[in-house]
Amino acid sequence: MSRLGLPPAYAVRARALIDRLFRGSPDGVIPVARRRVATAAGAVLLGLVALLFARLGDHLQSLHGAIVHRWPYLPLVLTPLIFAGTAWITMRFFSAARGSGIPQVIAAAHNPEASSRGPLISLKTAMAKFWLTLAMLFAGGSVGREGPTVQISAAIMIAVHRLLRVPVTAGVYIAGGAAGVSAAFNTPLAGVAFAIEELAAAYEQRVAVLVMAAVMIAGFVSLGIAGDYVYFGAMRQTLALGPALIVIPVIGICGGLAGGLFSRSVLAFGRSQHPALAALRARPVRLALGCGVIVAVIGIATGISWGTGYGTTRHLVEGDGAPPWFGPAKLGATLATTLSGTPGGIFAPSLSVGAGIGNLLSPLFTAPSAVVVVLGMAAYFVGVVRAPLTAVIIITETTASRGLVIPLFATALIADTVSALVCRERLYHGLSRPFLQKTAAPA
């Protein structure tokens, strides 16, 4: 300190302050300040990583599209090989990186301190998740980056807290995951809603402050770099009461039924003791290879089921239309990709499937097709994830459809009820069960 020109007395005080900041103080004031520093630093860092993840994902999807345009049948070889290679790497070296990433965060939050040293939410797993998800997008897999962003963001938040010697609580996982949703979709309110509905078993005021701070900072990072954009394009049409009484129940029931069947299929595949399914699970690389073939065939046959489905969904939201088979094709590709066990999320693909269902049903109604599409997004997404508040806020923020808030809520509640009848267990919580075993004891 004396080398900086400080008087000896000030040098002693500076050393004491630094010591208290990094080692704590009896009155607890400095640890609180340190926790806030860790939250802010983690949120800024994860916001930057989320933006990089999004840019690379979009670039690789565009590259895949260029390859398909030039060599239409190459995916018959390329897609299955990448699926199989990604599955082998995941199962051999990074088993905690498989699937969406949200179940891992839910499981880790049950035993936060032990999990902070384990594989579920480590930087090693996060790095693997980052690159393996990008590989799946390049392969044309029907995956989203939002679920992986949740796991990656939680890992970054945990790492920063451990670096600054801040105790890791369940709230840190929740804040990191929520900030990841905010940064991935540029939807701060959806990040808070997602934390309440999916990540938090018990939502306390202290956790709420932590979540909102992380979401706000990550949102500012995204806003400052990427600008104020609407993810799926703007849809400002509304729905009159008369048509709403017909459209909402039909879309809610159809979307909830389809989403519930998807969730039930995914959970049943992972748990069924049927010899055929058990044999498939015992050979994950071959399973991924076969799923890759299915995804490639659907993609080549339809030309619109590749990747996240963002482009086609945006066209539908903005009223430009799409072939009626988009929804079923996207559903088939998403189910095959999910069952492959490779890294990748289902947020964006589920919204795309929902848009396709709305597009398929829109000729039945006199309501504007774009309105039916947006309601279909909510219905199917809720059917899969069972998070109505999150769904309504995400769709409202990503489509600028604030005039549809009440119809969206009504559709979401109907879809949630129907989905619960089809599949009682919520998908992410069901998928988190195998990971809970990893949190039973410190790694």
Side-chain angles (χ1 to χ4, degrees):
M1 293 293 178
S2 59
R3 293 180 181 178
L4 298 178
L6 292 176
Y10 287 102
V12 171
R13 292 179 185 176
R15 288 195 190 95
L17 178 61
I18 292 173
D19 186 66
R20 290 176 68 198
L21 180 62
F22 286 95
R23 296 186 184 179
S25 63
D27 58 13
V29 175
I30 297 302
V32 171
R34 194 169 65 211
R35 185 180 299 114
R36 291 173 179 172
V37 170
T39 300
V44 170
L45 185 56
L46 71 85
L48 294 173
V49 172
L51 284 171
L52 176 63
F53 195 28
R55 295 285 176 85
L56 289 176
D58 291 344
H59 175 71
L60 288 173
Q61 286 190 92
S62 298
L63 183 58
H64 172 82
I67 291 174
V68 172
H69 180 73
R70 185 166 183 178
W71 299 288
Y73 296 102
L74 183 59
L76 284 173
V77 177
L78 184 65
T79 298
L81 287 179
I82 295 179
F83 267 60
T86 302
W88 183 82
I89 293 172
T90 302
M91 299 304 173
R92 179 69 176 82
F93 302 105
F94 309 105
S95 62
R98 67 183 184 272
S100 162
I102 294 173
Q104 289 91 318
V105 177
I106 293 173
H110 280 77
N111 193 351
E113 187 59 38
S115 298
S116 68
R117 301 186 296 274
L120 291 182
I121 312 295
S122 68
L123 286 180
K124 178 181 177 181
T125 299
M127 186 175 296
K129 191 81 166 193
F130 185 96
W131 293 110
L132 292 173
T133 301
L134 290 177
M136 290 298 295
L137 287 170
F138 175 68
S142 184
V143 298
R145 52 180 173 76
E146 295 76 27
T149 301
V150 169
Q151 186 178 13
I152 293 168
S153 298
I156 293 172
M157 190 68 81
I158 296 301
V160 172
H161 276 68
R162 293 194 66 191
L163 178 65
L164 296 180
R165 302 179 187 176
V166 179
V168 176
T169 64
V172 178
Y173 292 89
I174 296 169
V181 171
S182 171
F185 275 122
N186 193 29
T187 52
L189 289 178
V192 176
F194 182 72
I196 297 172
E197 289 193 295
E198 281 296 329
L199 299 181
Y203 199 71
E204 302 174 355
Q205 183 179 6
R206 183 165 50 184
V207 175
V209 173
L210 189 66
V211 166
M212 286 188 284
V215 166
M216 179 192 69
I217 295 168
F220 274 127
V221 172
S222 177
L223 183 65
I225 297 177
D228 186 15
Y229 64 93
V230 182
Y231 192 85
F232 283 117
M235 202 293 297
R236 306 189 189 279
Q237 294 173 294
T238 57
L239 186 62
L241 179 60
L245 296 177
I246 300 173
V247 174
I248 290 172
V250 174
I251 298 297
I253 292 171
C254 292
L257 180 62
L261 288 173
F262 177 90
S263 296
R264 184 163 184 164
S265 299
V266 172
L267 293 175
F269 182 84
R271 298 173 183 174
S272 175
Q273 297 304 313
H274 190 281
L277 296 181
L280 286 173
R281 293 198 305 268
R283 298 171 176 82
V285 176
R286 294 183 185 180
L287 171 63
L289 185 70
C291 290
V293 172
I294 293 172
V295 171
V297 170
I298 294 174
I300 291 172
T302 65
I304 53 175
S305 64
W306 303 111
T308 61
Y310 163 78
T312 305
T313 303
R314 188 180 182 101
H315 284 305
L316 287 172
V317 169
E318 294 180 341
D320 294 335
W325 57 81
F326 170 65
K330 192 63 184 168
L331 176 57
T334 303
L335 182 61
T337 304
T338 302
L339 296 182
S340 72
T342 52
I346 60 173
F347 260 52
S350 293
L351 292 170
S352 296
V353 173
I357 291 175
N359 179 57
L360 186 64
L361 297 176
S362 63
L364 301 177
F365 310 108
T366 57
S369 61
V371 169
V372 181
V373 164
V374 171
L375 294 179
M377 293 170 70
Y380 181 79
F381 184 85
V382 171
V384 173
V385 179
R386 299 278 306 284
L389 180 61
T390 300
V392 172
I393 294 177
I394 282 181
I395 292 168
T396 301
E397 290 191 284
T398 57
T399 63
S401 54
R402 294 171 182 84
L404 288 178
V405 169
I406 294 177
L408 282 169
F409 267 117
T411 304
L413 292 175
I414 293 172
D416 186 49
T417 302
V418 173
S419 178
L421 295 175
V422 177
C423 181
R424 294 191 177 185
E425 188 171 25
R426 295 167 71 174
L427 179 62
Y428 286 135
H429 290 265
L431 293 175
S432 70
R433 285 189 180 186
F435 297 109
L436 283 171
Q437 300 174 359
K438 297 180 181 293
T439 69

